[in-house]
């Protein structure tokens, strides 16, 4: 057998004890960005915890599917699995992100056209229904399957081996390579991806909340304004009529004074 180069991860390193520990730490740190995003939202538009869980859990399921698919694909060959995983991950974060955006747009258009209200991303009913969340998770997972299938077909294009040698060929330590591939780079990219995709998925829910908030605060104010105008309009007419009678002359004034005296006599 040909001697293995000094650099690069060994076969099965991604699922070894150290690799699994790095993956657990990555999941904890990456999903903490979604928690931070929730607290960064304005208080008037901040999602309840249940809605936040429904929104972010779709991403969790999709990210876990992509992650384990990349791990599986990286161990299919005898090449360096770390560099293969990194290539898969970079394609997921670039071309894959575009495919996810396109898939969400297409699915949202179809769902709205068919008027499947509970399958619109971010809409779960009032009160929120678990069935709507399950249906949306299935749709989002199908988008992830489509994205990973396209990325896998792209990897069949020859020439990726040279890029694989360039990416991590200068790192002599396999453990350092594993830390970079399984924690450092995925954490930075996943934090950005989670933030963007969460905004894309929850956008309709935020618009709905904004409309409800505007409706509840502005509508009574408009009603109070209209009612005040209606209440003030007779007084204004009465004041105007009195001013017209005062300016009308002596005849109008005398006739105005006669009316109370006539009523007193009766």
């Amino acid at each position: 057998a040909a001697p293995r180069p000094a650099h690069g991860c060994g076969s099965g390193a991604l699922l070894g004890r150290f690799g699994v520990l790095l993956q657990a730490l990555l999941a904890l740190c990456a999903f903490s960005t979604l928690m931070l995003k929730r607290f960064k939202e304005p208080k008037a538009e901040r999602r309840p915890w249940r809605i936040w869980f429904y929104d972010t859990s779709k991403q969790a399921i999709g990210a876990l599917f992509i992650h384990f698919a990349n791990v599986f694909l990286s161990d299919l060959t005898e090449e360096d699995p770390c560099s293969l995983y990194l290539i898969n991950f970079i394609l997921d974060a670039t071309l894959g992100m575009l495919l996810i955006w396109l898939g969400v747009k297409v699915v949202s258009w179809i769902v709205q056209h068919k008027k499947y209200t509970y399958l619109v991303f971010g809409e779960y009913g009032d009160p929120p229904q678990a069935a709507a969340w399950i249906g949306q998770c299935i749709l989002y997972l199908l988008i992830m399957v489509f994205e990973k299938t396209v990325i896998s077909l792209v990897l069949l294009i020859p020439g990726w081996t040279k890029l694989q040698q360039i990416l991590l060929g200068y790192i002599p330590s396999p453990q350092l390579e594993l830390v970079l591939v399984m924690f450092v780079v995925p954490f930075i990219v996943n934090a950005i991806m989670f933030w963007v995709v969460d905004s894309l998925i929850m956008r309709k829910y935020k618009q709905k909340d904004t409309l409800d908030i505007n409706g509840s605060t502005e509508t009574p104010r408009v009603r109070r304004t209209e009612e005040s105008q209606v209440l003030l309009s007779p007084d204004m007419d009465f004041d105007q009529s009195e001013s017209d009678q005062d300016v009308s002359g002596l005849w109008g004034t005398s006739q105005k004074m006669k009316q109370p005296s006539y009523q007193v006599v009766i």
Side-chain angles (χ1 to χ4, degrees):
R4 188 173 181 81
H7 64 273
C9 300
S11 179
L14 299 180
L15 294 177
R17 183 178 299 178
F18 186 62
V20 172
L21 178 62
L22 289 176
Q23 294 173 48
L25 185 61
L26 170 65
L28 178 63
C29 294
F31 285 105
S32 64
T33 59
L34 294 173
M35 184 82 69
L36 176 63
K37 183 178 183 296
R38 180 186 180 274
F39 288 108
K40 286 290 185 180
E41 297 172 359
K43 290 185 178 181
E45 300 177 358
R46 186 173 298 171
R47 292 167 289 179
W49 282 110
R50 187 175 182 181
I51 300 298
W52 177 85
F53 171 77
Y54 282 171
D55 286 340
T56 57
S57 58
K58 291 195 290 288
Q59 285 204 73
I61 295 172
L64 288 175
F65 169 78
I66 294 296
H67 172 74
F68 287 112
N70 289 339
V71 171
F72 173 76
L73 293 174
S74 299
D75 280 333
L76 286 180
T77 64
E78 296 181 355
E79 302 292 337
D80 180 12
C82 287
S83 57
L84 282 175
Y85 181 89
L86 185 60
I87 291 175
N88 275 279
F89 187 80
I90 291 175
L91 288 175
D92 288 329
T94 53
L95 177 60
M97 189 67 190
L98 178 62
L99 293 174
I100 292 173
W101 176 83
L102 182 62
V104 170
K105 290 295 184 181
V106 171
V107 169
S108 299
W109 181 83
I110 294 175
V111 168
Q112 291 180 357
H113 182 70
K114 296 294 184 179
K115 296 182 179 180
Y116 298 145
T117 307
Y118 284 166
L119 293 180
V120 177
F121 288 121
E123 300 289 346
Y124 306 103
D126 188 15
Q129 301 293 325
W133 168 70
I134 294 174
Q136 294 177 32
C137 286
I138 294 174
L139 287 179
Y140 189 76
L141 186 59
L142 290 176
I143 294 174
M144 295 296 104
V145 173
F146 165 74
E147 182 267 343
K148 197 64 227 176
T149 302
V150 175
I151 296 300
S152 300
L153 293 176
V154 172
L155 284 174
L156 296 179
I157 301 175
W160 293 107
T161 306
K162 295 182 179 179
L163 179 60
Q164 176 184 347
Q165 296 174 355
I166 295 173
L167 284 177
L168 299 173
Y170 58 89
I171 300 177
S173 173
Q175 288 190 342
L176 179 59
E177 183 176 344
L178 191 62
V179 171
L180 290 175
V181 170
M182 298 300 294
F183 181 74
V184 177
V185 176
F187 170 70
I188 297 173
V189 178
N190 274 329
I192 299 173
M193 289 181 62
F194 286 165
W195 199 290
V196 173
V197 174
D198 184 61
S199 299
L200 182 64
I201 292 177
M202 66 170 286
R203 186 173 302 163
K204 296 182 182 302
Y205 179 76
K206 287 176 67 176
Q207 289 178 356
K208 181 177 181 296
D209 280 354
T210 305
L211 291 175
D212 292 340
I213 292 169
N214 291 335
S216 61
T217 56
E218 291 183 2
T219 302
R221 187 180 304 171
V222 173
R223 289 178 180 175
R224 287 195 299 268
T225 305
E226 292 178 352
E227 290 175 358
S228 62
Q229 291 178 354
V230 171
L231 292 174
L232 288 175
S233 58
D235 295 301
M236 294 173 64
D237 295 336
F238 180 73
D239 294 340
Q240 185 176 2
S241 63
E242 286 184 351
S243 61
D244 292 340
Q245 288 178 0
D246 292 339
V247 177
S248 61
L250 181 60
W251 182 83
T253 304
S254 62
Q255 191 169 2
K256 182 180 177 181
M257 295 294 293
K258 288 179 181 179
Q259 187 175 358
S261 61
Y262 180 73
Q263 291 176 357
V264 171
V265 172
I266 291 174

